[in-house]
Amino acid sequence: MTVSIDHDLREAVSELRRRNVPSPSVALILGSGLGDFAKEISNGITISAEDLPGYPSSTVQGHAGRLIFGSVSDGSRSSPLLLVFQGRVHFYETADVDRTTATVRLAAALGVTRLLITNAAGGINRSFVPGDLMLMTDVMSLLPPSSRMIAGKQKLLEVFDRDLTMHLKESAREEEVALKEGTYCWLKGPSYETAAEIRMLGILGADAVGMSTVPELQTARALGMRCAGVSLISNMGTGILPSKLSHAEVTDTANRSSERFSHLIKSCLLRL
Ligand code: HPA
């Protein structure tokens, strides 16, 4: 399959080719505080986002802005070649959809056809507790999609791929990692929601809320990628628990849950 390369990513792709990176077939985007998973990659080639001309760097703490090409293995099995994004650019950082979706567009330009996407999210479903992992079964957004997101006029009817999602569920069973399920809602941020907004989102059917993932998924689907995703419930949404919410809580919980998260994701990648 020949994929056309968006103008803004041409130089980045040339630079990667110059460095002879292997051709990945699966991309993994690591959300806030989940970047530790990158340690699992053996013989990886790591490239800093800053070294790729035209490619955006994240300004948020907990988002390293690195691309890692490599695979994971457990001695007997190996994953396909991966492109792991340690950190992402959120829409609220630049209000620029092209920068927000550069990860998936770059991945597609390099031949990636499957995407595992992760994030840290605030829990809205009251059966969740901080530290839970949630399989995203659907997404919603209160923002209108932009032209980049609806490129190809493809509707986001079925966001998540059945087979990839099944692999995540089976991996959770195998690794004895509890995996909740729910709908993720994207809000622009960067401020956290008010208690009234969290109540509103609950009424609308959201189980978790965050500031990423949906623009990337919309673009990935428009590019024909098969997608599955996991949220780490890093905190409960404002007003659900008495404690005050902070970015430090988000990254601390993510760090504490990173081992379970890594087992789940690694086991899933080994099945592909
Ligand atoms: N709200 C929005 N985004 C988030 C949250 C939250 O509570 N936690 C982590 N990302």
Side-chain angles (χ1 to χ4, degrees), residues 120-122 192-193 209-211 234-235 245 250:
Y192 290 117
E193 301 70 35
V209 59
M211 304 177 197
S234 55
N235 57 278
L245 180 56
V250 171

Side-chain angles (χ1 to χ4, degrees), residues 32 119-123 184-185 187 189-193 198 209-212 232-238 245-247 250:
S32 283
N119 56 55
Y184 173 93
C185 178
L187 290 191
S191 43
Y192 290 117
E193 301 70 35
I198 292 295
V209 59
M211 304 177 197
S212 69
L232 165 73
I233 305 300
S234 55
N235 57 278
M236 292 308 287
T238 309
L245 180 56
S246 67
H247 186 62
V250 171

Side-chain angles (χ1 to χ4, degrees), residues 34 130-133 232-233 252-262:
L34 297 171
D132 274 351
L133 297 176
L232 165 73
I233 305 300
D252 284 355
T253 310
N255 290 336
R256 275 188 281 111
S257 309
S258 67
E259 208 172 311
R260 263 180 308 128
F261 172 83
S262 292

